[in-house]
Amino acid sequence: MPTICPQGLLAGLRGSPKTVPCSYLYDKKGSELYEQITELEEYYPFRAEQAILEKNADDIVSHVPKGSVIVELGCGTARKTGLLLSALIKRDGASKFAGIDVSASFLEEAKTNLMSLVTGLKAEDIDLVEAEYITGLQKVRQLHPTENLCIMWLGSSVGNLTNDGAAQFFKDMLVAAGQKSQVFLCTDLWKDKKVLHAAYHDSRGVTEEFILNGLRNALLSLGLAPERLDAAMKNWVYEVVVSAKMRRVEMWVQFKEGLEVFPGKNGEAIRIAPGERLLMELSRKFTVGDINRLASVSGYYVQAAWRTRQYGVQMLLPMQEALRRCWQDTDDFFLKQVKDWSVQPISMRHPFLFYYGHVNSFTKIKALPHVTPSPDDVTFSRGIDPVVLDPSKCHSHPEVPPQWPSREEVMRYVAHTREAVMEAVEAHKCSPRMLQMGLEHERMHQETLMYMLTQAKRLEWERDPPAELPRAVALARDWAKKWVRPDVRVLAGRVTLGVSEDDAGAFVWDNEGPPLETSVPLDFMVASDPVTVGQWRNFIVERKGYEMDQWWDATDLAFFRANGLSQPATWSHVKGDFYVHRPDGVFHWTQVAHEPVLVSLSEALAFCKSLGYRIMSEAEYQRVADTDVQNRVRCLKEAGWEWTSSRFAPFPGFKPMPEYPEYSTDFFDDCHFVLRGSSSVTHPAMKRDSFRNYYQKQYPYMFAKFRLCSSVHSVAGG
């Protein structure tokens, strides 16, 4: 059994209620019992966590820089740790591991298992640190003074701490590991009370035996004679309480008869009264808001998350590290992908060069409100989103200069601006909320820049097509008719749109709240898949979709014809065939025939009308997302923003954010419509269920998809 300081135990047994440190649960027998618990049908957390790691290991390690040291807090069998180490070795050819535990035997067992499970892991790349967690992190940092530390805390062990205790632990962890670190945090999510109760009070009684064994260890360590202890155990009763108010599971042991323990030779007696209960373990369950709040108050930022309805794992970065990585991504885009910064591939947006200055100007102005903006700050402070049908109409923005600064001048401006922001962050002079706003704003523009780059590359490709074009691939004979009807029934019911910032636990944009309780009054049908590239090509070629006036809104049709638009903005028509441009390359349409087609809302509405269908409203989208049918509705939240038929408008009780009041209010104009979900280039930090994107219906450049929908009483065909 691990050597444990009895002072923590004595303090717990003299408190009210009496408690026992959870460390006493994990002697040799306790560890064996815990392994049995993980295999119980009722105990879902272990399997839920492992399933997420198995499914997403490669994506998870994509957020771990090469050369990082994987640090595990508390070493078990190392099966789950091995999944991520294997993914890192597959990517980098090598990986370093440091295990921290109070038990030398657990550390050695973890090392043995890892050497067996992880092909390519070398013994010299494993450090074993026998210590408490924070002390252990300090030692690991001494061993690896310059490497990034990726700290893994598995098993939802953070749930054993109170809110305040968890926040303090994360602050201590940040001090010990430093800014060049990150935390991979696994958390069990709040769910049905019956499911939680069964998970901790299993039908075979293994969890009860585990808890009682821990209490036995604790009392033995205080000198209670084994024969007295064995007699007392017959009168212990195991109880599980699920507290909805505290969102936690409490594991208690009640003493039917009293017990008196004298620790040491001259220790003050510890008396447990008849009927008194001892709290053996807490297991807090989390909402997404709880996780965000913990990160925010502790100096971290949730960089990415992989969640199911049962369980969540997330990657947390210290705020300074989050800023550095965001800036690096922006630099990589401009320095590695944009050849000519002066290019303006979309007339309704500024040239590329502007946005390099803009994302940094925005962060500085919002994060340093006490600093008077410079002329360059003002020039780069806001972009443009004119009315598509009349570009002379646009929201307020700085006057466009006769000549934009040079690339070198903008780079100097950005370097100076970032230096000012980072100095303020290091001096704790910035609001975490404003830094979160700055990060989200820059991540959104990284996506905007990606669809601008796609247009720039398309135009260049069309001016000088390659000698060898992408080749067609064979398609199944029935490809054109696949998934052309709404085939999933969604029942009417209540939905909640939006979220409060308090419930979100971190920064959200003003249009995401306040929460709106509403309903979908009628059942409806929705397609299990979005409309595809192949189906859209059929719409153009076979059905002459852009020529059929009756399918189009008259204003939209006039706009498309006036601008010579007869195919999606990401498509090219060269030598009698269609080619699709994406961030990852150019493809013959047959190569991506079954992928979602990315189009404007105007085009999507025409396609739907041609078949007698429609597009989901925002409330209907939420209804699909909230119910089990989402498992049958593919690509709802990814592979392209999902168009809805709902105009972008405030929820009742909306209040503009004081720091950026124009963010939403300028676009509550009846021209913009709501999109939900994400695209293939949306940063993971931006993927949350309450986020509302918005674009004008005729704007064709963003990465947006749609699917067919119909009311139940009017299922049509085509």
Side-chain angles (χ1 to χ4, degrees):
M1 178 178 167
T3 301
I4 302 167
C5 176
Q7 295 306 315
L9 174 60
L10 292 173
L13 291 176
R14 290 186 173 124
S16 180
K18 291 181 171 63
T19 61
V20 172
C22 60
S23 307
Y24 286 90
L25 297 168
Y26 294 97
D27 65 338
K28 186 175 186 298
K29 181 179 179 181
S31 297
E32 292 171 352
L33 287 168
Y34 179 73
E35 287 301 310
Q36 294 178 37
I37 289 171
T38 64
E39 298 174 359
L40 294 171
E41 181 180 353
E42 299 99 325
Y43 192 75
Y44 64 87
F46 185 92
R47 293 189 302 276
E49 181 176 285
Q50 180 151 324
I52 292 175
L53 297 183
E54 289 175 344
K55 180 180 179 181
N56 300 286
D58 289 342
D59 190 29
I60 291 168
V61 300
S62 72
H63 294 272
V64 181
K66 186 175 182 178
S68 297
V69 180
I70 302 300
V71 184
E72 184 173 10
L73 303 183
C75 293
T77 63
R79 277 183 288 173
K80 290 181 281 191
T81 311
L83 292 170
L84 299 189
L85 287 171
S86 295
L88 280 169
I89 291 173
K90 181 177 72 173
R91 185 191 73 182
D92 301 333
S95 184
K96 296 179 180 179
F97 172 80
I100 301 174
D101 204 293
V102 294
S103 168
S105 62
F106 289 177
L107 289 167
E108 288 297 336
E109 181 184 0
K111 180 177 181 179
T112 300
N113 290 340
L114 285 174
M115 293 300 296
S116 172
L117 291 168
V118 183
T119 302
L121 182 63
K122 300 176 182 178
E124 58 265 31
D125 288 332
I126 298 177
D127 294 314
L128 303 180
V129 180
E130 185 179 353
E132 297 287 348
Y133 291 161
I134 300 302
T135 302
L137 275 175
Q138 293 168 342
K139 292 181 179 179
V140 172
R141 177 49 82 195
Q142 291 171 359
L143 291 170
H144 303 279
T146 61
E147 288 99 327
N148 179 69
L149 304 184
C150 179
I151 303 161
M152 296 178 59
W153 205 10
L154 305 177
S156 198
S157 298
V158 65
N160 298 135
L161 303 177
T162 63
N163 283 331
D164 292 342
Q168 187 59 54
F169 181 83
F170 272 76
K171 291 175 183 177
D172 293 343
M173 188 161 49
L174 183 53
V175 171
Q179 287 288 329
K180 197 172 183 181
S181 64
Q182 58 195 91
V183 179
F184 182 65
L185 178 67
C186 298
T187 49
D188 192 12
L189 301 180
W190 176 253
K191 55 185 64 66
D192 183 83
K193 291 175 66 174
K194 292 180 180 178
V195 174
L196 291 171
H197 190 277
Y200 292 88
H201 207 320
D202 62 275
S203 57
R204 289 172 50 191
V206 182
T207 311
E208 177 178 355
E209 186 179 357
F210 171 72
I211 292 295
L212 297 183
N213 178 71
L215 180 54
R216 189 176 192 278
N217 291 334
L219 295 178
L220 281 173
S221 74
L222 296 179
L224 188 65
E227 58 273 14
R228 282 192 63 204
L229 186 56
D230 292 339
M233 286 182 68
K234 297 176 182 178
N235 295 303
W236 294 353
V237 178
Y238 176 60
E239 297 179 0
V240 172
V241 176
V242 181
S243 171
K245 181 179 179 181
M246 303 296 290
R247 285 200 291 274
R248 70 187 190 187
V249 181
E250 303 166 357
M251 284 145 275
W252 299 83
V253 175
Q254 184 184 45
F255 284 62
K256 287 186 176 181
E257 296 182 1
L259 185 67
E260 193 172 68
V261 183
F262 292 88
K265 292 183 178 180
N266 301 308
E268 181 183 347
I270 293 173
R271 295 180 176 84
I272 302 172
E276 189 172 5
R277 298 191 305 169
L278 270 66
L279 181 59
M280 290 297 298
E281 189 173 20
L282 291 175
S283 184
R284 287 173 57 217
K285 307 302 172 184
F286 297 83
T287 64
V288 173
D290 294 333
I291 298 163
N292 290 338
R293 191 173 298 106
L294 171 61
S296 183
V297 301
S298 307
Y300 286 89
Y301 179 74
V302 180
Q303 178 81 348
W306 301 263
R307 298 182 181 122
T308 65
R309 290 190 174 184
Q310 280 195 324
Y311 207 85
V313 304
Q314 34 276 314
M315 192 70 77
L316 278 54
L317 299 184
M319 184 57 74
Q320 292 178 36
E321 182 66 13
L323 284 168
R324 289 191 186 98
R325 293 196 191 182
C326 183
W327 293 344
Q328 186 62 58
D329 289 344
T330 298
D331 288 350
D332 286 346
F333 176 85
F334 277 94
L335 300 177
K336 296 179 181 180
Q337 299 197 60
V338 183
K339 298 177 183 178
D340 184 353
W341 290 18
S342 67
V343 168
Q344 186 179 2
I346 298 174
S347 62
M348 290 173 282
R349 296 293 182 265
H350 284 321
F352 281 113
L353 177 145
F354 165 82
Y355 295 97
Y356 193 50
H358 171 59
V359 293
N360 291 280
S361 166
F362 181 93
T363 299
K364 178 187 174 185
I365 290 172
K366 301 306 179 186
L368 309 179
H370 56 284
V371 176
T372 302
S374 69
D376 282 342
D377 291 337
V378 174
T379 296
F380 291 117
S381 63
R382 198 176 190 203
I384 56 171
D385 181 12
V387 176
V388 171
L389 297 176
D390 183 1
S392 67
K393 298 178 180 178
C394 189
H395 55 77
S396 63
H397 59 85
E399 184 177 352
V400 177
Q403 182 175 346
W404 290 104
S406 69
R407 169 175 168 155
E408 291 70 25
E409 288 171 327
V410 177
M411 290 181 70
R412 284 195 295 271
Y413 166 75
V414 167
H416 176 75
T417 300
R418 288 177 177 174
E419 182 180 0
V421 170
M422 190 56 75
E423 285 180 359
V425 173
E426 291 172 349
H428 304 288
K429 293 182 179 179
C430 293
S431 157
R433 184 172 180 275
M434 289 299 95
L435 292 174
Q436 291 171 15
M437 178 194 284
L439 281 167
E440 291 217 352
H441 172 265
E442 186 158 348
R443 291 300 188 187
M444 285 193 288
H445 273 291
Q446 287 170 356
E447 179 163 348
T448 301
L449 288 162
M450 192 59 73
Y451 75 64
M452 287 176 60
L453 181 64
T454 301
Q455 290 303 309
K457 288 184 175 181
R458 177 186 65 82
L459 293 169
E460 183 180 1
W461 191 89
E462 289 177 351
R463 284 193 296 268
D464 186 19
E468 186 172 344
L469 297 170
R471 296 183 179 182
V473 298
L475 296 174
R477 294 180 63 183
D478 63 345
W479 66 267
K481 294 186 178 180
K482 193 175 182 182
W483 308 321
V484 294
R485 296 174 183 271
D487 55 345
V488 177
R489 183 166 184 150
V490 186
L491 300 180
R494 303 288 298 175
V495 296
T496 300
L497 298 177
V499 67
S500 69
E501 190 158 313
D502 183 60
D503 287 341
F507 171 80
V508 293
W509 299 98
D510 53 11
N511 66 68
E512 295 180 60
L516 170 62
E517 298 288 338
T518 186
S519 65
V520 175
L522 299 173
D523 293 3
F524 62 99
M525 302 291 293
V526 67
S528 54
D529 288 274
V531 172
T532 66
V533 167
Q535 291 163 4
W536 197 268
R537 187 263 183 189
N538 186 53
F539 177 68
I540 297 175
V541 176
E542 307 297 333
R543 304 181 64 224
K544 309 297 181 184
Y546 286 83
E547 301 173 24
M548 298 296 180
D549 296 14
Q550 67 271 26
W551 295 341
W552 290 77
D553 172 85
T555 301
D556 295 347
L557 183 64
F559 170 80
F560 272 74
R561 288 184 176 168
N563 288 276
L565 301 174
S566 58
Q567 62 201 30
T570 55
W571 288 29
S572 293
H573 191 240
V574 174
K575 296 182 179 180
D577 220 337
F578 290 102
Y579 300 88
V580 179
H581 299 261
R582 305 195 317 190
D584 56 341
V586 184
F587 302 86
H588 187 272
W589 71 268
T590 56
Q591 294 175 300
V592 291
H594 300 306
E595 299 294 320
V597 67
L598 306 178
V599 294
S600 68
L601 179 57
S602 297
E603 292 165 295
L605 290 171
F607 185 96
C608 289
K609 188 174 182 180
S610 75
L611 297 174
Y613 297 122
R614 59 180 178 84
I615 286 175
M616 287 188 290
S617 67
E618 185 178 10
E620 287 172 331
Y621 173 96
Q622 192 65 52
R623 185 66 180 159
V624 175
D626 287 349
T627 57
D628 289 338
V629 300
Q630 71 164 306
N631 298 323
R632 297 164 55 200
V633 179
R634 291 176 283 273
C635 297
L636 182 70
K637 299 180 181 180
E638 62 274 332
W641 292 93
E642 186 88 11
W643 276 115
T644 77
S645 60
S646 299
R647 295 183 187 275
F648 182 55
F651 295 143
F654 166 84
K655 293 181 180 179
M657 65 180 88
E659 306 91 346
Y660 189 13
E662 67 272 26
Y663 172 73
S664 299
T665 55
D666 278 356
F667 306 104
F668 293 148
D669 55 7
D670 286 336
C671 295
H672 289 75
F673 287 75
V674 175
L675 302 91
R676 299 286 298 275
S678 68
S679 81
S680 62
V681 294
T682 304
H683 191 270
M686 297 297 302
K687 295 180 180 180
R688 61 175 174 270
D689 288 342
S690 61
F691 188 85
R692 305 172 80 204
N693 207 345
Y694 50 92
Y695 280 101
Q696 296 177 63
K697 66 183 292 199
Q698 300 88 5
Y699 191 74
Y701 304 110
M702 67 285 139
F703 302 138
K705 67 182 189 304
F706 73 103
R707 70 190 68 229
L708 303 176
C709 176
S710 67
S711 301
V712 168
H713 62 267
S714 62
V715 177

